[in-house]
Amino acid sequence: MLLRRMADIRPDFVSDALPRLGATRAEAHAAHTRWQQKDPVPLTPRKLGASLRTGPRDACG
């Protein structure tokens, strides 16, 4: 994630960092894409409250 943002400002730093990390530009891009698609907080208090109010789902509904 940080390398993706850094590439906008200091592409030379990113060019130097990728080989030290053992990654290609394509691998760094794929990692950034996976990071963006993640749900950062799988169970937020709001989601927890909603599941407590509705209770477990039964087979009928």
Side-chain angles (χ1 to χ4, degrees):
M1 173 66 183
L2 292 177
L3 285 178
R4 179 80 174 132
R5 298 289 181 217
M6 181 64 75
D8 294 338
I9 301 167
R10 295 294 305 265
D12 54 326
F13 280 4
V14 175
S15 297
D16 293 342
L18 287 174
R20 290 189 303 193
L21 293 170
T24 64
R25 186 169 295 276
E27 291 169 332
H29 181 71
H32 174 72
T33 301
R34 284 191 307 274
W35 177 260
Q36 290 296 317
Q37 292 173 345
K38 280 182 65 170
D39 184 11
V41 181
L43 190 61
T44 63
R46 180 175 292 175
K47 290 179 186 177
L48 179 60
S51 66
L52 291 176
R53 284 191 301 275
T54 59
R57 294 178 184 243
D58 59 5
C60 296

